[in-house]
Amino acid sequence: MERIKVISPATSANLGPGYDIFGLALSEPYDIITLSRSEEGIVISVRGEGADRIPREVDKNTAGVVAREMIKDFNIEGGVKIEIHKGIRPGSGLGSSAASSAGVAFAMNELFDLKLSKLELVKYAALGESISAGFPHADNVAPAIYGGFTMVINYNPLEVLHVPVDFKMLVALPDIEVSTKKARDILPDKIPLTSMVNNVGKACGMVYSLFKGDIELFGRCMMGDRVVEPHRAQLIPGYKEVKEKLKDLVYGITISGSGPGVIIIPREGEVPKIEKIVDKVWGCPLYCTKVGPGIQVLEGD
Ligand code: HSE
């Protein structure tokens, strides 16, 4: 194969109580990544949403770092040209950097026929996350690669569990900038035992709900995080107001990843009312999306 084009989707990490553990692949938005063999080196080009804010230097680009490490580890001769068309706004909390790094890990595996497992691809893709977040968190790259709902149940060694699920969601994207690094730095190093008990309980409720198909339980538990969201809410002006005003219209609402994106599971027939409230507080669009299948090959030749 000389060239491959893939769709790499947005993802929503944490989902309330599952900080650095839970993640969901979305069907939209997504990046389109084209990888081609070249004589030598790694050349990166980026266009689309927020492209001007993305570094092209290999060592500073999440996708570049992934390609560099894979070329080194597998003694790949020659180089690659990486073309990224961003559909996911950088710094949105929708796994924009993860889409690029997971997309490149996946495409490298196909292009050079490396025969790596999904788990191995997650490991490589997570390396890219260190660049933007300061920690190789895998809760965005895992759902990008597996699709559906994923749980990173261990980091060293990495262990990922996958549950295929299917439901609709809304994503509000306020015009606020939140850096993942800053959103991680404001979190406390230590938490009370009672908060830990609360979050583990809610996380268990969410996983149970997936097997029972109980979206009401999923959403209720998703809103019960007492560890991360209370700190991060202050980085998103209007978040507490929107959450309060939507409480009877949704099954669940929470900050997507490190924000400012907000993920909302609407109750039937309530989308128009939700839209009005989101528009009044943030004046931002509300996207309809659903759980997606993860990275897909568009073309390969
Ligand atoms: N788990 C990560 C965090 C996701 O919340 O910092 C970042 O999108």
Side-chain angles (χ1 to χ4, degrees):
M1 194 185 270
E2 287 300 314
R3 177 181 160 275
I4 181 164
K5 193 187 250 194
V6 300
I7 280 189
S8 193
T11 47
S12 185
N14 302 337
L15 301 164
Y19 178 69
D20 279 357
I21 300 168
F22 289 169
L24 210 51
L26 309 186
S27 62
E28 284 178 70
Y30 50 78
D31 290 352
I32 297 178
I33 298 170
T34 309
L35 214 69
S36 324
R37 288 178 186 251
S38 68
E39 300 238 314
E40 62 170 337
I42 300 169
V43 176
I44 303 167
S45 65
V46 191
R47 61 194 173 100
E49 280 274 327
D52 50 328
R53 286 186 278 139
I54 298 175
R56 272 59 167 177
E57 299 95 315
V58 173
D59 296 344
K60 293 186 186 155
N61 181 290
T62 57
V65 168
V66 174
R68 184 194 68 198
E69 290 307 298
M70 292 177 87
I71 286 175
K72 181 169 68 127
D73 289 356
F74 298 99
N75 299 315
I76 292 172
E77 286 181 13
V80 283
K81 188 170 142 205
I82 304 171
E83 295 165 87
I84 303 174
H85 188 173
K86 296 293 307 170
I88 311 164
R89 191 179 97 191
S92 58
L94 295 174
S96 179
S97 58
S100 299
S101 49
V104 164
F106 181 99
M108 288 286 291
N109 188 43
E110 298 293 317
L111 191 66
F112 297 101
D113 197 21
L114 302 176
K115 300 190 170 43
L116 298 179
S117 66
K118 285 185 176 172
L119 186 64
E120 286 168 308
L121 295 183
V122 171
K123 272 187 217 163
Y124 277 103
L127 293 176
E129 293 289 60
S130 310
I131 304 286
S132 55
F135 174 73
H137 67 90
D139 51 342
N140 286 106
V141 292
I145 286 168
Y146 284 80
F149 177 84
T150 53
M151 297 172 260
V152 182
I153 61 159
N154 201 57
Y155 268 85
N156 193 13
L158 193 67
E159 268 184 85
V160 175
L161 302 180
H162 169 237
V163 187
V165 292
D166 183 21
F167 54 85
K168 291 191 179 127
M169 286 159 288
L170 302 171
V171 174
L173 200 44
D175 196 9
I176 299 164
E177 194 140 336
V178 177
S179 94
T180 301
K181 176 99 182 45
K182 184 172 173 199
R184 293 181 79 86
D185 287 349
I186 62 160
L187 300 179
D189 289 332
K190 296 192 171 119
I191 58 163
L193 194 60
T194 47
S195 303
M196 189 277 283
V197 171
N198 170 76
N199 272 37
V200 172
K202 300 294 181 298
C204 291
M206 288 173 74
V207 176
Y208 179 83
S209 76
L210 293 178
F211 290 97
K212 290 282 176 187
D214 185 345
I215 195 73
E216 192 277 330
L217 178 63
F218 185 85
R220 182 158 56 82
C221 290
M222 186 176 87
M223 290 198 286
D225 167 33
R226 284 200 212 141
V227 174
V228 174
E229 192 179 286
H231 296 278
R232 288 184 168 177
Q234 42 180 303
L235 300 175
I236 309 173
Y239 176 69
K240 282 190 191 148
E241 183 187 347
V242 168
K243 189 171 177 180
E244 174 60 26
K245 287 188 168 150
L246 292 191
K247 70 177 189 297
D248 296 327
L249 307 175
V250 302
Y251 290 119
I253 168 170
T254 191
I255 298 170
S256 180
S258 52
V262 170
I263 194 120
I264 299 165
I265 308 177
R267 288 185 184 271
E268 287 73 21
E270 303 293 14
V271 174
K273 282 191 204 150
I274 296 172
E275 215 160 19
K276 258 194 202 150
I277 291 167
V278 167
D279 182 53
K280 200 161 171 212
V281 178
W282 284 319
C284 73
L286 193 64
Y287 302 99
C288 290
T289 185
K290 59 182 177 159
V291 182
I295 299 169
Q296 304 289 307
V297 177
L298 266 184
E299 287 167 31
D301 44 54

